[in-house]
Amino acid sequence: MVEHDVLTTTREAYDAAALTYAQLFRDSLRDSPLDRAILGVFAEVVSASGDGQVADLGCGPGHITAHLDELGLAAFGVDASPAMIELARQAYPALRFDVGSMAALNIADGVLGGVLSRWSIIHTPPRELPAILAEFHRVLAPGGHLLIGFSASEDPSHPTQVFDHTVAPAYRWWPDHLSAMLRESGLVEVARMVREPQPTDRRQFQEVQLLARKA
């Protein structure tokens, strides 16, 4: 399957699931103190590095973009799903939301203080991920930060593993392998948070968030 077909299939699947997704996840941070904590750290390091804007890439219905705004960041959201963007605009009319692809961002070089990629890479085929990471590097200003979240694989000898996501096929990554890919793209890991699965979680995967900085 070519990359365009993957993007089209994923976008159409999220368009169809947009309303249900928004209802399920709009209040997800309320019961996730660790997620609130790492987003708070991200906001602090971005603010300390300057006054650049922050792009929430794969923003979905906009609830995390709104949280970044509450943390004092000049945040805007980008998502490939027009239905998701429409819901975000309805819910948060004071914020900016754009339809777009992470593979070809309509953002100038070096203008962002931060990029948030919160589980937005999970549907990206492994062969396409280096180009996505290169886009993250391109739009970040020197000293800018990336916070990237994903589900972890358990076996370092298999750096990526496919799993059957509800919406579209998805991939999980061995954290050190993804960290090395970030480094190859010019983004150096400065911290990571690993969340162990809870007994009630549907999937028993570790959740990893890597904080990286552009030199």
Side-chain angles (χ1 to χ4, degrees), residues 115-134:
V115 166
L116 178 65
S117 172
R118 185 177 166 83
W119 278 263
S120 58
I121 64 163
I122 64 170
H123 301 297
T124 301
R127 67 183 179 278
E128 304 295 340
L129 188 56
I132 300 289
L133 299 181

Side-chain angles (χ1 to χ4, degrees), residues 9-201:
T9 300
T10 303
R11 180 177 60 240
E12 290 175 349
Y14 274 100
D15 278 345
L19 187 57
T20 299
Y21 185 99
Q23 292 169 343
L24 286 174
F25 293 104
R26 185 164 285 151
D27 297 324
S28 60
L29 287 179
R30 181 182 57 198
D31 299 319
S32 301
L34 291 177
D35 284 354
R36 295 197 304 271
I38 194 65
L39 288 169
V41 169
F42 174 67
E44 286 194 33
V45 296
V46 169
S47 297
S49 299
D51 297 323
Q53 289 185 310
V54 173
D56 178 9
L57 303 180
C59 66
H63 56 299
I64 304 299
T65 316
H67 184 71
L68 295 179
D69 177 72
E70 292 171 358
L71 293 175
L73 298 177
F76 66 97
V78 179
D79 201 282
S81 164
M84 287 287 196
I85 290 298
E86 182 59 29
L87 289 174
R89 289 170 176 168
Q90 291 173 10
Y92 310 104
L95 300 181
R96 170 187 160 195
F97 295 98
D98 300 328
V99 177
S101 167
M102 294 187 299
L105 294 166
N106 187 24
I107 300 172
D109 294 355
V111 297
L112 298 182
V115 166
L116 178 65
S117 172
R118 185 177 166 83
W119 278 263
S120 58
I121 64 163
I122 64 170
H123 301 297
T124 301
R127 67 183 179 278
E128 304 295 340
L129 188 56
I132 300 289
L133 299 181
E135 275 290 90
F136 294 171
H137 179 272
R138 179 185 68 79
V139 298
L140 279 170
H145 285 81
L146 165 71
L147 180 61
I148 185 168
F150 55 97
S151 296
S153 67
E154 299 97 348
D155 185 353
S157 66
H158 293 85
T160 63
Q161 292 179 311
V162 180
F163 66 97
D164 61 338
H165 190 277
T166 304
V167 177
Y171 304 86
R172 48 195 182 118
W173 299 80
W174 180 248
D176 290 345
H177 178 69
L178 188 48
S179 181
M181 293 181 70
L182 289 173
R183 191 163 54 249
E184 291 170 1
S185 299
L187 299 162
V188 179
E189 179 185 344
V190 297
R192 72 174 64 180
M193 185 181 81
V194 180
R195 176 187 176 275
E196 295 295 334
Q198 302 302 302
T200 55
D201 288 347

